Amino acid sequence: MKLFRKTFSVVLAIAMLFSVPTLADAGEFTREEKLDYLVSSGIPLAFFENKEDAEIDNIFASLYGKDIRYMGSETVSMSETVDFSGVSPAGVIPESDMKLIISKVSEVVYDSNKDMYRIKEIYVYVDYIWTSGKPFWQWSDGITVNWDASVFTFKSGSFRANDYKLLVSTQNWENTTSLSNPFALAQGGLGYYAKLTFSETVLGTTVSALQHKGSASFTLLPKQSPMYLKTAYTTDTYSTAINVEYLHVKNPGIFSVSFSYNGFGVSASVPLTSDSVAKSTTYYYSYS
């Protein structure tokens, strides 16, 4: 059965490559067909678990027809401390209120002279999702992503981000914010807002959304070329970190996240109180 599914996925991927003459026709494929193609390319199905159609369409369009390698995901959880003292009510340790996920996918080209795969681009994906009914404070949070400016450079025009709220009335996810540019951009980092300040009117009463989530993606280019994927027999292996931080605002709406430039990167700060969580993912590569 597993062999059949693997064979089917490969056949589907090949069929799509030959049956789709241009990316303009990609919209003719269903969500399931796009997912089948991406999964057959090596991206685990769990990667798409909380992604809406807009994200899947964007990922499919950017990766379609390319030789890609899924480079893994890193997840970290955060708990919102509602009490300003930082101590949970009644001494109860809060469970995870939010997940922050950073993932990376490489586009590669086979170099027959080296018998190695040259790295063309690195696609970075950042996702957050709050648990139902959270957070208590719903303003505009801040997200920063930083990398080594001597290793990677940001690809102009590659940034996309969307925020969503789960409606009380329909139980459906609704897009609340779409971005095509980060709010802060440096040689080695960027910053943008995760907007949670959305509600709806139900029977004449304004109520908060049930849940919030968001996804962002952008592309990094190797600063020095050629850069190759690390292999088991690579002798000159290097590693570099890509860091993401989520800053959760717990102040009245008059206070918001501000972004500043810290060396070649971007940092976020907010007056008074906040919760934050950070995660680092390591990227391995070689130059020969």
Side-chain angles (χ1 to χ4, degrees):
M1 186 65 179
K2 289 184 178 179
L3 178 62
F4 172 78
R5 288 180 59 84
K6 182 176 181 181
T7 303
F8 174 78
S9 298
V10 172
V11 171
L12 175 63
I14 295 174
M16 292 180 73
L17 285 174
F18 286 98
S19 64
V20 185
T22 66
L23 259 181
D25 300 320
E28 297 178 2
F29 291 94
T30 65
R31 174 188 173 99
E32 289 71 24
E33 288 171 331
K34 292 174 184 177
L35 286 175
D36 282 343
Y37 174 83
L38 292 168
V39 170
S40 71
S41 299
I43 304 177
L45 188 60
F47 172 80
F48 304 99
E49 181 180 3
N50 293 309
K51 294 189 183 296
E52 294 299 298
D53 288 344
E55 276 69 51
I56 294 175
D57 291 345
N58 180 50
I59 295 169
F60 181 81
S62 62
L63 301 183
Y64 172 79
K66 299 177 180 178
D67 190 358
I68 62 171
R69 299 291 186 275
Y70 173 71
M71 308 299 289
S73 299
E74 299 287 344
T75 303
V76 65
S77 299
M78 183 182 76
S79 298
E80 182 186 34
T81 53
V82 177
D83 182 62
F84 283 109
S85 68
V87 179
S88 303
V92 177
I93 299 175
E95 297 180 355
S96 172
D97 294 328
M98 191 269 290
K99 282 186 178 180
L100 180 67
I101 307 165
I102 181 170
S103 309
K104 52 195 184 298
V105 173
S106 296
E107 180 192 354
V108 298
V109 175
Y110 181 67
D111 185 340
S112 58
N113 294 325
K114 294 272 191 178
D115 190 25
M116 297 177 69
Y117 285 92
R118 179 172 60 84
I119 301 168
K120 286 190 65 178
E121 298 184 336
I122 299 93
Y123 302 92
V124 180
Y125 304 93
V126 176
D127 299 273
Y128 72 87
I129 181 165
W130 287 89
T131 58
S132 181
K134 298 288 185 174
F136 177 82
W137 302 103
Q138 297 182 13
W139 307 112
S140 291
D141 294 343
I143 299 176
T144 57
V145 188
N146 287 281
W147 57 88
D148 188 337
S150 68
V151 178
F152 297 128
T153 183
F154 176 80
K155 182 178 180 179
S156 177
S158 66
F159 182 83
R160 298 288 184 276
N162 287 287
D163 295 306
Y164 299 90
K165 66 178 179 182
L166 184 62
L167 298 177
V168 175
S169 55
T170 64
Q171 298 291 304
N172 292 324
W173 287 99
E174 178 182 82
N175 178 237
T176 52
T177 309
S178 294
L179 301 174
S180 57
N181 291 291
F183 280 84
L185 179 63
Q187 293 184 39
L190 58 81
Y192 61 99
Y193 291 102
K195 298 206 172 184
L196 311 180
T197 54
F198 293 96
S199 58
E200 62 173 317
T201 301
V202 179
L203 300 177
T205 302
T206 300
V207 296
S208 297
L210 287 177
Q211 201 171 358
H212 301 272
K213 69 178 180 179
S215 296
S217 64
F218 61 92
T219 305
L220 295 176
L221 303 173
K223 195 70 175 287
Q224 179 182 336
S225 186
M227 176 187 282
Y228 295 96
L229 284 182
K230 180 184 77 69
T231 64
Y233 54 85
T234 302
T235 56
D236 62 335
T237 298
Y238 301 88
S239 64
T240 188
I242 303 174
N243 306 301
V244 60
E245 182 177 21
Y246 187 108
L247 184 63
H248 175 51
V249 179
K250 300 193 299 178
N251 303 320
I254 56 175
F255 297 105
S256 61
V257 172
S258 61
F259 296 106
S260 59
Y261 297 97
N262 182 15
F264 292 108
V266 174
S267 60
S269 60
V270 63
L272 300 181
T273 59
S274 64
D275 289 320
S276 66
V277 68
K279 191 65 178 178
S280 176
T281 183
T282 304
Y283 190 90
Y284 297 94
Y285 61 97
S286 172
Y287 287 119
S288 63

